[in-house]
Amino acid sequence: MKTMTEIKTNKLTLVQAVTDGLRTMLREHEEVLVLGEDVGQNGGVFRATDGLAAEFGEARVMDTPLAEAGIVGTSIGLAINGFRPVAEMQFLGFVYPAYEQIMTHASRIRSRTLSRYSVPMVIRAPYGGGIRAPEIHSDSCESLFTHMPGMKVVVPSNPYDAKGLLIAAIEDPDPVLFMEPMRSYRAFKADVPEEKYTVELGKGAKLTEGEDVTVIAWGNMVSTAQKAVDQLKDDNISCELLDLRTLYPLDKDLIAESVKKTGRAVIVHEAPETGGVGNDVLSVINNEAFLYLRSPVQKVAGFDTPFPFFSLEEEYLPTPERITHAIKKAVTF
Amino acid sequence: MENQFPIRQILDGEGNITDNSDELTEDLVKEMYRRMLRARTLDRKSVNLQRQGRIGTYAPFEGQEAAQIGSASAMEDGDWMFPTYRDHAATLTFGHSVTTIMLYWKGRVEGCVPPEGKNIFPPAVPIATQLPHATGAAMAEKRKGSDRVSIAYFGDGATSEGDFHEGLNFASVFKAPVVFFNQNNGYAISVPVEKQMNSKTIAQKAVSYDIEGIRVDGNDVLAVYFETKKAVEKARRGEGPTLIEAVTWRYGAHTTADDPTKYRDQQLSEEKRNQIDPLLRLERYMEKNGFWDEEWKNEVMNVCDREIEQAVEEMEAYPDADINDMFGHVFKEPVWTIEKQRDEYLSFKRGETV
Ligand SMILES: Cc1ncc(C[n+]2csc(CCOP(=O)(O)OP(=O)(O)O)c2C)c(N)n1
């Protein structure tokens, strides 16, 4: 074990940490390939693949035609035949043409062939609102994929996790949807080790210790929830903030342990409430910690409406104020 | 294949007639010029508004005026138009107001709503998704026994998507009265057309659906106009769909959020102006034929400027977006989940505790 002082770190943004993770894996494994629209010479519309085509060549960092079903379908073919493709969807809202390939093939080839074939691929996609993007660009449709047997769904909220989770996703033997919270892409920098490391899939993180209530969030909503949690310190409400990091499979032990301790929970997500991952979290709480609950679990979520045009996006997105309101409701029940 | 799909042209970049089979009148030439100047003024103004943070990300079309305006001018009231996020010159020509177009880029859903009596679909943001819609709407007109037609706009990149092929195939099978109008502007964001496809032309893709495919100089507004008109009339006669490839060029960025210097030489892009620009070539033609009039141009320019300044004022004076619009149009009849979410949210906003 190296001690912290021996590990060389760089201050990186979340999107730079993604690039760093891709570079690390492209260097380490010949079979890792990066492909997608504009990922080559342009380095991706968010610069997530910046410099990779120059370093590794266009045979490994490939600009593809504009066709998501084609990108994912050919990635499946590459993956069953010895490669580890990392496919970029330019925005998660443009994954829909590829949905069929993911649903009908990527996620079930292992079970269809009793593990004779597997699909070790990663689909990366920026997602979420708050950057005044045009229509469709802001969708948070994670539950379409958590509902898909055979897919893992991962959402980092900070640069350290982004690199570690991405490397773990690429090494994972099964298909992983890797959602990148674009509002957090350049929001802040953090220390990211230069070397290769992983953050285990399926494990969440406890960001703050607290006594009164468990606040559960992921991706873009972690920093929003953090603001709410910080504000409530003045009201003497002590919150335990969990960042789920993986949405399938959920870290049920982390959720259960925390809710058993606090007896209350508030779930925050940006996606529409109905059919959202919040319901799966609720079900974990129900199964694991029902008798410890002191108030009904609250949810703060996006509405059951298409993500609005950006003139109304601030009305749609959960805010620290909506979250503090829900927390107070849970605590004063 | 390129030989089988020669680029049709009436006026070259110097303003010389290269094919005089279609009738040119002074009025037509001036009207096309006026429409293009109006669109270019709108486009430049929008780029400036974006830079000043008065609208959001914007998709400029400068260079593509002839393709959009020539084709849209061939359409009639009652026909259907299915544009992308870049086809404002087309929708403007077909009946959208400048204010509507600006509201779209201000992040307002009102920017999707066409004027009463005009069939203009909201801009398609997901690439190629509008092609099957254009086919379906055309199939509907055919079933209704009308002679209305659809036109779908799309870029070179769009031809890679499944929806492109499905839209063309359905149109072919059902002999739908639809015109597939491709603007081949050389790039799909950073990807040049040579990396998008191995085929030398887009028009040739029509062969596999056994429909007519033609290539036209997309910077020659007159050629685009007459070729689209022929395709539209053919569709009206019940003779099925056409794929038109308008070969054109966009001088600027993909959108105002994009940096074209990462993938192409902007200097060269600007140099192309003198050789191909759709407005310049009409000016040259008019000059050569003795009816270019600088004063007339300034007059037209002033009218465009005033119209656009007024639209900017209207856009900026627009009442704030209504939260109820977000909740109120998901279904015709409200459902309880959305009603509950709306009520709780509005009472939260009013500071009432729920
Ligand atoms: C399904 C889908 N995938 C990706 C995108 C992101 N995107 C927006 S425009 C664009 C390039 C489009 O190129 P082209 O069809 O040639 O049209 P142009 O913008 O050049 O007019 C891409 C990849 C999208 N809007 N929709």
Side-chain angles (χ1 to χ4, degrees):
Chain A
M1 274 289 278
K2 288 182 188 171
T3 61
M4 264 325 264
T5 49
E6 291 170 64
I7 297 176
K8 204 167 168 332
T9 62
N10 295 308
K11 286 248 183 261
L12 300 183
T13 61
L14 198 155
V15 69
Q16 289 170 331
V18 167
T19 317
D20 194 25
L22 290 171
R23 185 181 291 111
T24 305
M25 292 307 274
L26 281 160
R27 274 192 189 142
E28 186 141 321
H29 298 284
E30 270 300 313
E31 64 273 21
V32 171
L33 304 172
V34 168
L35 70 164
E37 295 155 12
D38 304 288
V39 301
Q41 193 178 350
N42 197 30
V45 295
F46 285 105
R47 304 285 169 261
T49 53
D50 212 14
L52 298 180
E55 186 173 347
F56 301 98
E58 290 191 12
R60 293 188 67 205
V61 181
M62 295 177 271
D63 274 329
T64 67
L66 205 177
E68 292 73 15
I71 294 167
V72 171
T74 52
S75 293
I76 292 171
L78 288 160
I80 58 170
N81 200 8
F83 286 88
R84 286 186 180 258
V86 184
E88 178 179 292
M89 297 288 108
Q90 206 155 73
F91 291 82
L92 187 62
F94 301 137
V95 75
Y96 306 121
Y99 192 79
E100 160 164 62
Q101 284 293 341
I102 309 171
M103 182 62 160
T104 60
H105 294 291
S107 63
R108 61 178 90 193
I109 283 173
R110 177 182 295 286
S111 54
R112 281 167 70 213
T113 62
L114 298 178
S115 290
R116 172 70 179 76
Y117 294 108
S118 62
V119 182
M121 71 178 285
V122 175
I123 299 169
R124 296 182 33 249
Y127 87 99
I131 63 159
R132 287 163 57 95
E135 296 180 80
I136 327 279
H137 290 72
S138 304
D139 287 15
S140 294
C141 53
E142 62 255 26
S143 64
L144 298 182
F145 299 92
T146 57
H147 194 67
M148 190 182 267
M151 277 303 285
K152 291 180 183 170
V153 179
V154 174
V155 193
S157 72
N158 61 62
Y160 180 91
D161 287 354
K163 178 173 175 180
L165 286 168
L166 180 59
I167 291 173
I170 296 171
E171 289 186 333
D172 196 274
D174 288 305
V176 179
L177 174 68
F178 190 82
M179 294 170 48
E180 297 169 10
M182 58 179 139
R183 192 156 40 132
S184 309
Y185 259 162
R186 296 187 169 82
F188 59 97
K189 289 189 172 188
D191 285 330
V192 174
E194 220 161 61
E195 61 185 28
K196 183 183 160 194
Y197 64 94
T198 56
V199 172
E200 194 183 342
L201 305 190
K203 290 271 178 273
K206 188 191 288 183
L207 302 186
T208 60
E209 286 282 349
E211 303 302 324
D212 301 321
V213 57
T214 302
V215 180
I216 302 163
W218 53 90
N220 274 327
M221 282 297 115
V222 171
S223 59
T224 311
Q226 181 78 60
K227 285 187 194 124
V229 165
D230 292 344
Q231 280 172 22
L232 286 170
K233 279 186 196 142
D234 299 337
D235 293 307
N236 278 330
I237 299 175
S238 133
C239 305
E240 191 140 301
L241 177 60
L242 308 185
D243 174 1
L244 285 184
R245 300 199 291 207
T246 297
L247 303 184
Y248 195 94
L250 286 174
D251 188 345
K252 86 174 161 35
D253 296 340
L254 178 76
I255 298 167
E257 193 196 325
S258 175
V259 176
K260 281 178 183 173
K261 177 173 115 188
T262 63
R264 301 181 185 94
V266 175
I267 304 162
V268 186
H269 64 68
E270 191 174 319
E273 183 181 350
T274 300
V277 174
N279 293 349
D280 296 319
V281 177
L282 244 174
S283 149
V284 167
I285 296 172
N286 222 18
N287 290 335
E288 306 289 326
F290 183 70
L291 292 178
Y292 296 80
L293 284 179
R294 290 193 273 170
S295 66
V297 175
Q298 303 293 319
K299 274 192 284 178
V300 183
F303 305 118
D304 290 6
T305 70
F307 193 94
F309 278 62
F310 71 73
S311 58
L312 282 174
E313 73 178 340
E314 297 306 328
E315 303 290 347
Y316 178 94
L317 292 165
T319 52
E321 292 68 36
R322 273 175 72 197
I323 299 168
T324 51
H325 179 69
I327 293 173
K328 284 181 184 162
K329 221 167 132 180
V331 173
T332 58
F333 176 75
Chain B
M1 272 292 177
E2 273 167 303
N3 297 337
Q4 289 173 46
F5 295 91
I7 295 188
R8 301 186 187 178
Q9 191 187 57
I10 291 177
L11 270 188
D12 69 13
E14 296 303 317
N16 298 313
I17 298 262
T18 53
D19 173 353
N20 59 2
S21 50
D22 291 294
E23 188 139 339
L24 299 191
T25 62
E26 187 177 326
D27 280 354
L28 177 72
V29 170
K30 282 187 151 175
E31 179 57 20
M32 289 299 176
Y33 185 83
R34 194 188 64 76
R35 290 179 184 185
M36 291 201 292
L37 195 59
R38 179 176 178 227
R40 182 164 287 185
T41 313
L42 160 66
D43 193 58
R44 290 188 174 170
K45 183 74 192 180
S46 302
V47 171
N48 282 336
L49 288 173
Q50 191 283 332
R51 292 206 180 111
Q52 296 161 10
R54 291 156 75 185
I55 60 173
T57 304
Y58 173 77
F61 57 76
E62 183 163 344
Q64 299 183 214
E65 294 89 348
Q68 294 188 23
I69 286 159
S71 55
S73 298
M75 309 303 290
E76 290 174 8
D77 276 1
D79 290 338
W80 288 79
M81 182 173 282
F82 295 84
T84 75
Y85 48 79
R86 199 189 299 291
D87 299 314
H88 313 312
T91 58
L92 188 68
T93 304
F94 196 50
H96 258 328
S97 67
V98 176
T99 311
T100 306
I101 293 166
M102 286 183 170
L103 282 171
Y104 182 80
W105 292 108
K106 197 156 187 249
R108 297 293 298 258
V109 70
E110 290 87 341
C112 283
V113 185
E116 207 57 53
K118 295 277 182 186
N119 296 319
I120 308 176
F121 217 56
V125 169
I127 300 296
T129 46
Q130 72 279 23
L131 273 70
H133 308 160
T135 299
M139 286 164 66
E141 291 296 344
K142 188 176 168 182
R143 286 182 77 104
K144 290 198 249 175
S146 87
D147 67 350
R148 295 286 136 228
V149 307
S150 305
I151 188 165
Y153 288 90
F154 55 100
D156 37 294
T159 64
S160 296
E161 292 277 7
D163 279 338
F164 165 81
H165 299 276
E166 298 183 29
L168 262 67
N169 190 42
F170 270 62
S172 162
V173 167
F174 293 101
K175 265 199 166 232
V178 50
V179 177
F180 297 105
F181 192 88
N182 172 260
Q183 292 168 77
N184 179 353
N185 63 20
Y187 281 89
I189 307 190
S190 71
V191 178
V193 69
E194 309 80 60
K195 285 171 89 183
Q196 189 69 240
M197 62 191 73
N198 233 345
S199 35
K200 293 283 176 292
T201 73
I202 287 167
Q204 77 194 64
K205 292 172 193 275
V207 172
S208 44
Y209 302 105
D210 199 20
I211 64 178
E212 191 184 352
I214 61 170
R215 278 188 117 194
V216 61
D217 179 342
N219 293 336
D220 173 357
V221 70
L222 299 164
V224 174
Y225 172 63
F226 286 115
E227 291 304 328
T228 313
K229 214 160 173 240
K230 283 176 211 156
V232 166
E233 279 162 9
K234 187 181 85 180
R236 283 202 211 291
R237 288 194 304 269
E239 291 167 28
T242 306
L243 170 63
I244 299 178
E245 173 186 359
V247 181
T248 179
W249 187 258
R250 188 188 64 237
Y251 302 120
H254 170 73
T255 67
T256 50
D258 168 59
D259 172 14
T261 60
K262 289 275 285 190
Y263 53 81
R264 73 175 195 191
D265 185 343
Q266 274 305 103
Q267 186 71 32
L268 283 181
S269 178
E270 277 304 317
E271 281 168 18
K272 273 179 101 100
R273 233 179 236 283
N274 196 35
Q275 299 146 22
I276 61 166
D277 189 74
L279 280 92
L280 268 182
R281 82 173 66 184
L282 275 197
E283 285 178 21
R284 287 167 181 165
Y285 171 80
M286 288 191 264
E287 231 163 47
K288 284 184 178 150
N289 288 275
F291 63 95
W292 172 247
D293 179 346
E294 197 73 36
E295 213 171 286
W296 170 77
K297 181 197 169 170
N298 289 336
E299 222 170 86
V300 175
M301 191 78 222
N302 286 340
V303 173
C304 295
D305 279 340
R306 272 202 306 277
E307 180 192 10
I308 285 158
E309 285 309 328
Q310 195 185 330
V312 174
E313 272 175 38
E314 261 176 56
M315 177 220 12
E316 298 198 319
Y318 228 72
D320 283 347
D322 183 351
I323 300 174
N324 286 297
D325 283 349
M326 174 166 71
F327 295 104
H329 297 273
V330 187
F331 295 104
K332 183 156 190 287
E333 296 298 332
V335 298
W336 70 266
T337 55
I338 299 175
E339 288 203 305
K340 179 166 180 273
Q341 290 168 2
R342 180 201 57 205
D343 292 348
E344 283 179 2
Y345 183 57
L346 292 178
S347 74
F348 165 77
K349 285 208 52 129
R350 287 191 299 265
E352 301 160 9
T353 46
V354 205

